[in-house]
């Protein structure tokens, strides 16, 4: 009987902006491998040198979207980034994966609802005058209502996603 291929998992997150981005990507990919998954990290894509910045950006965008189409699932870092919300690029990637019907497992530190995380007045409005969601969810409802599961750390998330993917494969 042939051995099933390792599920491909796109590793989404602002981790690509870390000073140690390549090493961190290797770490995430090794965690995936330990759990029978094959991690796809954005830096796995090759980008030609000598291009204008807008050309480079377009190639990176296209290559990352191709990876998401190719993958079986997405693992996304939804920790806050440069403010109170997750990285917008990562949120785009989560949305794309959800639209393609791929399971998305997320991870982020902290807990509590958005109302517990974001300062607001008695009526629920933040300092800029915008209402803070009050659904008891730890992230915006469009994320929290569409992810397959969530964990606190990438280590926990990869283990949980691997278990989920194994269950899914056994059902099919």
């Amino acid at each position: 009987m042939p051995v099933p291929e390792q599920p491909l998992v796109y590793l989404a997150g602002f981790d690509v902006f870390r000073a140690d981005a390549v090493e961190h990507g290797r770490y995430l990919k090794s965690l995936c491998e330990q759990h029978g998954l094959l991690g796809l990290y954005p830096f796995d894509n090759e980008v030609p040198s000598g291009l204008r910045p807008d050309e480079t950006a377009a190639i990176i965008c296209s290559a990352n979207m191709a990876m998401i189409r190719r993958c079986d699932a997405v693992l996304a870092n939804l920790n806050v980034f440069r403010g109170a919300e997750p990285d917008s690029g990562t949120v785009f990637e989560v949305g794309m994966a959800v639209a393609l019907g791929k399971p998305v497992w997320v991870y982020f530190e902290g807990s509590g609802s958005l109302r517990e995380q974001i300062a607001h007045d008695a009526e629920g409005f933040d300092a800029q005058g915008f209402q803070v969601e009050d659904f008891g969810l730890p992230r915006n409802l469009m994320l929290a209502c569409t992810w397959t599961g969530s964990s606190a750390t990438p280590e926990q998330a990869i283990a949980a996603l691997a278990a989920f993917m194994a269950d899914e494969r056994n059902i099919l």
Side-chain angles (χ1 to χ4, degrees):
M1 182 172 209
V3 177
E5 289 185 29
Q6 291 175 292
L8 300 176
V9 176
Y10 181 79
L11 302 168
F14 61 87
D15 307 292
V16 296
F17 300 115
R18 293 170 55 135
D20 66 344
V22 172
E23 293 81 15
H24 186 71
R26 286 186 191 124
Y27 171 70
L28 293 174
K29 289 173 68 168
S30 76
L31 286 173
C32 286
E33 189 174 330
Q34 292 169 31
H35 290 281
L37 305 171
L38 182 60
L40 304 176
Y41 192 61
F43 281 170
D44 294 341
N45 294 314
E46 290 190 28
V47 178
S49 60
L51 300 174
R52 292 189 327 260
D54 62 319
E55 292 171 324
T56 300
I59 288 172
I60 291 169
C61 178
S62 179
N64 289 350
M65 290 186 348
M67 273 187 164
I68 293 167
R69 284 186 198 94
R70 216 174 94 215
C71 75
D72 299 300
V74 168
L75 180 80
N77 178 350
L78 292 186
N79 280 298
V80 297
F81 181 67
R82 297 180 182 153
E85 294 280 346
D87 169 55
S88 59
T90 304
V91 171
F92 172 88
E93 292 169 334
V94 167
M96 181 178 173
V98 169
L100 293 170
K102 298 178 186 287
V104 175
W105 204 280
V106 304
Y107 62 93
F108 53 89
E109 296 173 4
S111 59
S113 70
L114 284 176
R115 283 275 177 113
E116 294 168 325
Q117 296 174 46
I118 299 173
H120 58 279
D121 64 20
E123 286 81 40
F125 290 89
D126 67 15
Q128 293 178 301
F130 295 105
Q131 188 155 21
V132 179
E133 285 185 17
D134 192 17
F135 299 109
L137 300 171
R139 294 289 181 266
N140 177 279
L141 70 91
M142 295 303 290
L143 292 169
C145 291
T146 58
W147 63 49
T148 302
S150 67
S151 301
T153 67
E155 295 82 4
Q156 293 168 346
I158 289 169
L161 177 58
F164 173 81
M165 297 299 289
D167 287 346
E168 285 290 300
R169 293 178 90 124
N170 290 331
I171 291 171
L172 299 176

